Amino acid sequence: MSMLTNTLGRYFAGRFVVAALGVFAGIFLLLVLVDYIEMVRKTSGLASASALMVAETSLFRVPQLLEKLTPFCMLIGAMTCYLALSRRLELVVARAAGISAWQFISPALGSALLIGVIATVAYNPMSANLRELSKRMEAELFGSAPGGGIQDASGFWLNQVTSDGQTIINAARSEQQGVRLTGLTLFRFDTDSHFKERIEAREATLESGHWLFKSVRRFSLDSPPIDQATMEIPTTLTEAQVRNSFSTPETVSFWQLPSYIRSSESSGFATAGYRLQYQKLLAQPFLLAAMVMLAASVSLRFFRMGGVQKMVLSGVGAGFLLYVLSKVTEDLSKAELMHPIAAAWLPVVVGGLTGFLALLYQEDG
C-alpha cells in the first residue's frame, strides 16, 4: 500500500504541475499578445521603434503582471487536473484501491507549496528586474527627444527646496526607483517664490549632491530657448529618500524589501505598503495551497453524478470572492486601518478553511 500510495502521489503531483504550468503558459502568451498590441499602438508614430524592441519591452513587462495572477493559475490548474482525472475515472480507481481524497490531494498541496516558495524567492526578484529593464527600454523608445516624447498623464512628481530656491520636477518615467528619470519637465522658482524658468530634459540621474540632466532645453520669460547638452542642479536629496519616494512595493524584490522597510522607517516615510507586500510574499505558498484546497472541493465530483458545471462555476466564484477579499484587506492595510500581517494572511485562512470544510463535508460528512 505504501508503494502504491507513493506511485500515485508522484503521478497526481505530476499531473497537477503539468496542468498548472499549462494554464500559466497560456495566460502568459495571452498577456504578451495583448501588451504587444498595445505597445505597437503607442509606438506607431515613432520611426526609431523596431518590432523586435517593442516585442522585448512587452515581454519584460508581462512577468510582473502574471505574478498577480499566479493564485488563479493554481486554482484553474487544479480544477483542470482533478476534472480530467474524474472524467477518465482515475479517481474512481484510486478510491477503489483504498486511497482517500486527502491522500491524492496532498501531492498537489505539496507541489503548490513548492511552487509558491519558488515564486517568492526566485520569480519575484526576476520579475522586478525585468520590469526595471522594460522601463529602461521604454525610455529609449519614448525619450529620444527633449521633454521625453510621449508622456504619461500624471507621471512622477518631486519637490525640492535648496538655498537657490524651489524646483518642482515632473518625470514621465522612473527607473531604478527614481535614481534615473526620463521625460522631464522642471519649474524653478527663486527664494521669493518668483518664477525663474522652465526646463525640459530627456533624462536625469541623481548623483552626489546634484541632479545631472542631459539634452536640456531652458525656457525663460525674457530670453529665447537655450539648448544645453548637460546641466547640473544642486539637491539635498539622497538616493534612499528618492527611492522611497518613487518606488512602489510591487517593483521591489522580495530580498530587498526588509532594507526598504528599515530605510523608510528611518526616513519617516510610510511603511504600510512595503510591510504588506513582504507579508503577501511570505504568505504566497500557503495561498497557492489554499487555492488547491478550494479547487479540490469543487472538482472531485464524479461526472456520472452530474452537476459538475455548477460546481466549477462555484469554484470560480469562490476564487473571485477571495480576490475581492484580498483587495479589501490590502486597501485597509495601506490606509493603516488593518495590520499588514492580518491583511496578508486573512485571505489565506479564509480560502484554506473554506476548502477544508467543504472537503470534510463531502468526504466525511
Side-chain angles (χ1 to χ4, degrees), residues 31 35 58 61-70 123 127:
L31 289 177
D35 194 80
S58 296
R61 282 159 51 97
V62 167
Q64 193 172 71
L65 300 176
L66 188 60
E67 185 179 8
K68 301 177 181 179
L69 300 177
T70 302
Y123 184 83
S127 65

Side-chain angles (χ1 to χ4, degrees), residues 70-71 74 112-113 115-117 119 283-293:
T70 302
M74 292 296 107
L113 288 171
I115 292 173
V117 171
Q284 186 167 229
F286 302 96
L287 178 61
L288 301 187
M291 285 296 185
V292 171
M293 189 79 72

Side-chain angles (χ1 to χ4, degrees), residues 31-32 35-40 53-63 134:
L31 289 177
V32 168
D35 194 80
Y36 176 73
I37 294 174
E38 179 65 16
M39 285 295 296
V40 169
M53 189 171 186
V54 172
E56 289 180 351
T57 304
S58 296
L59 185 63
F60 294 157
R61 282 159 51 97
V62 167
S134 71

Side-chain angles (χ1 to χ4, degrees), residues 42-101:
K42 289 183 178 180
T43 58
S44 58
L46 301 177
S48 60
S50 64
L52 179 60
M53 189 171 186
V54 172
E56 289 180 351
T57 304
S58 296
L59 185 63
F60 294 157
R61 282 159 51 97
V62 167
Q64 193 172 71
L65 300 176
L66 188 60
E67 185 179 8
K68 301 177 181 179
L69 300 177
T70 302
F72 293 96
C73 293
M74 292 296 107
L75 177 66
I76 302 301
M79 292 173 62
T80 303
C81 172
Y82 288 124
L83 287 175
L85 292 174
S86 178
R87 182 184 296 110
R88 298 171 59 179
L89 301 180
E90 291 176 277
L91 295 184
V92 177
V93 175
R95 288 178 184 271
I99 308 299
S100 68

Side-chain angles (χ1 to χ4, degrees), residues 130-205:
L130 289 178
R131 182 65 181 128
E132 285 295 329
L133 184 57
S134 71
K135 289 182 178 180
R136 189 175 301 112
M137 298 179 71
E138 287 179 31
E140 294 177 4
L141 287 172
F142 300 122
S144 58
I150 300 176
Q151 297 190 10
D152 298 334
S154 57
F156 302 88
W157 292 88
L158 185 66
N159 181 33
Q160 67 172 35
V161 179
T162 62
S163 58
D164 297 332
Q166 181 184 16
T167 303
I168 300 175
I169 303 174
N170 173 243
R173 288 162 296 278
S174 168
E175 301 175 30
Q176 304 173 21
Q177 284 82 41
V179 176
R180 184 174 182 270
L181 307 175
T182 57
L184 294 120
T185 302
L186 291 77
F187 302 94
R188 302 189 68 189
F189 302 86
D190 59 20
T191 54
D192 297 326
S193 299
H194 295 148
F195 177 77
K196 290 175 57 178
E197 61 179 346
R198 178 172 66 89
I199 300 174
E200 292 184 357
R202 185 187 64 191
E203 63 180 77
T205 305

